[in-house]
Amino acid sequence: MAAMMPLLSTKGLSCAFGGLRAVDGVDFALPCGEIRAIIGPNGAGKTTFVNLVCGRIPASSGKVFFEGRDISRLPAHQRVRAGIAYTFQITSIFPGLTVLDNVAPAAQRPSARQVAASGSSRERALHALEEVGLGQYAHQQAGHLSYGHQRLLEVAMGLALRPRLLILDEPTQGLSDGEIENFIALVREIGRKATVLLIEHNMDVVMALSDRITVMERGRVLAEGNPEEIRADQAVQRAYLGA
Amino acid sequence: MTRAGARNLLLHGAVLVLLFALNFVLPEYHRGILSRVMVLAVFAMGYNLAFGYTGLLSLGHAMFFAAGLYGAGLTIYHLGWSVWPAFGAGLLAGGVVAAAIGFLALRTTGVAFMIVTLMFAQVFYLGTLYFTTYTRGEEGLILPQASRKLELPGAELILTDPAVRYMTALTLFAAVLVGIFLLVRSSFGRALVAIRENEERMRMLGYDVFANKLLAMIVSGVICAAAGAAYAVLFGYVGSGFAAIQYSILPLLWVLLGGAATTLGPLIGTLFMFYVIDIASGLTRAHLLVVGIALILVVLYFPKGIAGTIRERWLRWLQ
Ligand SMILES: Nc1ncnc2c1ncn2[C@@H]1O[C@H](COP(=O)(O)OP(=O)(O)OP(=O)(O)O)[C@@H](O)[C@H]1O
Ligand SMILES: [Mg+2]
């Protein structure tokens, strides 16, 4: 039955800010190996939902399961150690440190899952930087990188954790068209090794990458399906695609 | 080791050799000052670990210094302990106080953390006054000369002797400098700096931020307590003044002056302040005014402190 078990699932996951139900009873399942996109209008609760998944904010009610284990009560850092990596919607790096030192903490943290990983932590950090194409900037100060490169640096931090699930929150926001092209190729590559949960507004990126799409609106799941189904869905078009 | 690492090793080694050599050339007065400066620089190094590296702006570190001071001083004075176990009692007192205060205060950040540490230190200070039967409060205790002897295998060091005192202070200073040198290069030290830079990021990289900060506080507290305990046995005086707010502010000033998050900054800052005060008080009775002006000038023109500015402008490799 292990093959049937989703990597990540949630049951009735909810989060209220005051009276606002930002996430409202979400049941969600993500099979291993998939690239899943979450789309939805601004304020739909996408960021809040993944924050609940990775434990950055506490849920009002509901449960989160990862690899079949109930992780609802685990603090965020332990969820990361369990294999969930999160990149912030608002770029969050160590601007005063070098690019390499930004990735080093992710690469050096000893965890059960990394025992098998090869090379020194420095090599792993460099490798993660090369994967996203930042190898040549390793010794520059991270705060001096261009915005697009800082977003890539975030992804490199996520990769250096060698996660089972990589959550990307609007990674292409503010990138140029050329950068977006490269980014699509990068996520495809990542998708070979990890399950990817991608929050994205750019529909070209969503259609190019995702195996399946979950649409959120006002804290709820409005629809779910493969890209063709979502494109054809009337409710989605009304709520989101603006047609 | 990298080239930067080798240069740092060389520089720190040279500083220790220089301090060693100074014992033989300095006039008595200045050797006395430098003994005191080295012990207080250990205090500053401990503070630097919390403030400079981890970004914990504590206004209560006097209590860790004083915990070491009293831990050693009271056991010698009242229980007749010899220097080694008394020193150990000082370290233990510092570690316990730091663990307890850290556990409570680290639930807060920023201004709240400053206020909470300040309040706890004030409680500690008032405690030293309250138990005046044992501490003699502000007046303090003078440790008997006969008790200030350090037993070593096959030797006994008389800590009241100026040369022995200097060398003992230097030994402690060297041990802590080497310890800090290694610590800040370790993965723990790097994690502390990263936590200072972006705590939420570190949490989402799988680090237990609270546990790392708590450990930093405890190590910092134990180092400060080592300075306090050494101060008690080397200079023979234990008084409440060392637990007062002034001794929480001083290490902050020394570290700011010398350069936060630099390994040699605390020594430079402490030395600089001592001599500015020394020279100023020889010139005018308003010597604190001169100190204040000196501080303002340094902060204006060397905002990263002396070693921090040297690193920024000239020696990028400086640790
Ligand atoms: N910390 C918070 N306190 C109060 N309200 C919040 C908080 N975080 C989010 N919200 C509200 O919850 C709702 C969902 O926000 P969320 O950031 O999850 O949306 P989103 O789908 O990620 O939107 P976007 O596409 O703009 O990133 C919004 O109405 C937002 O204003
Ligand atoms: Mg969002």
Side-chain angles (χ1 to χ4, degrees):
Chain A
M1 290 305 287
M4 301 297 293
M5 186 181 74
L7 179 70
L8 171 76
S9 62
T10 69
K11 294 271 174 294
L13 197 59
S14 304
C15 175
F17 297 114
L20 174 78
R21 292 167 155 239
V23 173
D24 191 3
V26 171
D27 296 328
F28 178 86
L30 177 58
C32 202
E34 197 174 299
I35 297 182
R36 172 74 62 94
I38 301 183
I39 63 172
N42 291 115
K46 306 178 296 294
T47 296
T48 308
F49 173 68
V50 294
N51 276 336
L52 295 175
V53 166
C54 66
R56 281 189 71 209
I57 54 175
S60 317
S61 63
K63 288 196 178 310
V64 183
F65 299 89
F66 187 67
E67 296 180 310
R69 188 158 69 107
D70 184 353
I71 59 166
S72 315
R73 302 180 74 92
L74 281 190
H77 69 269
Q78 285 183 17
R79 297 190 198 192
V80 177
R81 290 184 198 179
I84 302 178
Y86 173 75
T87 67
F88 290 70
Q89 176 169 4
I90 298 156
T91 308
S92 178
I93 59 170
F94 306 103
L97 307 185
T98 66
V99 171
L100 185 61
D101 282 343
N102 267 259
V103 186
Q108 79 190 177
R109 188 181 47 75
S111 79
R113 291 177 25 69
Q114 289 191 338
V115 172
S118 56
S120 69
S121 65
R122 189 186 154 85
E123 281 163 7
R124 289 200 297 276
L126 273 170
H127 182 72
L129 284 177
E130 263 146 29
E131 274 183 273
V132 303
L134 291 180
Q136 80 244 49
Y137 302 106
H139 299 287
Q140 281 194 17
Q141 193 178 325
H144 295 161
L145 289 180
S146 73
Y147 179 78
H149 284 163
Q150 292 190 7
R151 302 259 15 161
L152 288 175
L153 179 54
E154 278 243 14
V155 177
M157 291 186 203
L159 288 180
L161 287 169
R162 295 171 178 264
R164 299 220 52 203
L165 172 64
L166 179 62
I167 300 174
L168 300 165
D169 196 348
E170 300 201 23
T172 66
Q173 203 178 35
L175 296 195
S176 69
D177 288 349
E179 286 172 327
I180 288 178
E181 283 295 311
N182 292 336
F183 186 79
I184 290 175
L186 172 63
V187 174
R188 274 215 186 94
E189 195 54 41
I190 295 169
R192 290 173 200 273
K193 285 173 290 182
T195 307
V196 177
L197 185 56
L198 172 72
I199 298 178
E200 186 56 66
H201 276 297
N202 183 328
M203 287 311 286
D204 293 338
V205 176
V206 171
M207 292 301 169
L209 279 174
S210 42
D211 300 315
R212 286 176 75 77
I213 300 172
T214 299
V215 187
M216 283 187 74
E217 194 205 10
R218 283 186 235 152
R220 292 168 173 273
V221 174
L222 180 69
E224 196 170 290
N226 63 35
E228 287 70 41
E229 288 164 352
I230 294 302
R231 222 195 299 255
D233 191 300
Q234 297 282 314
V236 173
Q237 294 195 356
R238 271 195 307 278
Y240 186 54
L241 299 177
Chain B
M1 188 178 273
T2 59
R3 243 179 69 190
R7 284 173 168 173
N8 276 304
L9 201 62
L10 218 62
L11 175 68
H12 287 71
V15 167
L16 291 178
V17 169
L18 177 69
L19 287 171
F20 180 80
L22 283 175
N23 175 56
F24 306 101
V25 294
L26 281 184
E28 197 49 60
Y29 175 71
H30 292 283
R31 183 164 73 170
I33 286 193
L34 202 52
S35 305
R36 213 169 282 255
V37 163
M38 285 190 291
V39 173
L40 293 174
V42 169
F43 183 17
M45 284 194 278
Y47 185 77
N48 193 26
L49 183 63
F51 168 66
Y53 290 99
T54 319
L56 298 170
L57 208 174
S58 154
L59 291 183
H61 263 57
M63 78 183 129
F64 306 137
F65 183 80
L69 187 89
Y70 278 111
L74 292 179
T75 49
I76 289 175
Y77 192 87
H78 292 294
L79 305 177
W81 287 17
S82 64
V83 166
W84 277 119
F87 188 75
L91 295 191
L92 186 68
V96 169
V97 173
I101 302 304
F103 188 78
L104 297 170
L106 286 172
R107 287 153 200 281
T108 65
T109 52
V111 176
F113 182 79
M114 292 161 61
I115 292 170
V116 170
T117 48
L118 182 85
M119 300 296 274
F120 276 121
Q122 201 61 15
V123 169
F124 192 99
Y125 170 59
L126 294 175
T128 66
L129 295 179
Y130 182 79
F131 293 103
T132 197
T133 342
Y134 304 103
T135 64
R136 298 248 188 85
E138 297 279 5
E139 181 197 330
L141 308 169
I142 308 286
L143 300 185
Q145 297 258 344
S147 67
R148 292 162 57 198
K149 283 182 296 209
L150 193 64
E151 310 279 349
L152 290 178
E156 191 178 64
L157 298 180
I158 310 295
L159 297 178
T160 45
D161 175 80
V164 173
R165 180 155 64 192
Y166 184 93
M167 284 304 176
T168 310
L170 174 58
T171 306
L172 175 71
F173 175 81
V176 173
L177 184 69
V178 169
I180 293 272
F181 184 92
L182 295 175
L183 189 150
V184 302
R185 299 176 76 91
S186 72
S187 57
F188 173 56
R190 286 162 190 270
L192 295 183
V193 170
I195 286 172
R196 178 194 73 198
E197 292 285 307
N198 190 342
E199 182 174 323
E200 181 61 5
R201 225 314 155 205
M202 279 302 267
R203 188 160 77 101
M204 296 316 293
L205 291 177
Y207 284 78
D208 188 338
V209 169
F210 182 82
N212 275 282
K213 283 182 177 177
L214 183 60
L215 191 55
M217 271 295 268
I218 294 173
V219 176
S220 166
V222 169
I223 293 173
C224 295
Y231 200 94
V233 296
L234 291 179
F235 303 103
Y237 169 73
V238 173
S240 297
F242 290 110
I245 172 93
Q246 186 191 353
Y247 273 84
S248 289
I249 303 296
L250 279 172
L252 171 63
L253 294 182
W254 294 328
V255 167
L256 280 177
L257 208 56
T262 62
T263 38
L264 290 172
L267 173 69
I268 298 171
T270 314
L271 192 64
F272 189 86
M273 268 275 269
F274 247 81
Y275 273 98
V276 169
I277 291 177
D278 192 56
I279 293 166
S281 54
L283 296 176
T284 160
R285 289 180 61 197
H287 64 272
L288 283 180
L289 187 69
V290 179
V291 174
I293 291 170
L295 272 174
I296 290 171
L297 289 179
V298 170
V299 170
L300 279 180
Y301 293 103
F302 296 88
K304 303 220 157 151
I306 297 166
T309 305
I310 290 173
R311 167 162 72 191
E312 193 176 60
R313 300 216 183 130
W314 300 292
L315 308 179
R316 293 300 303 270
W317 51 268
L318 190 64
Q319 176 168 307

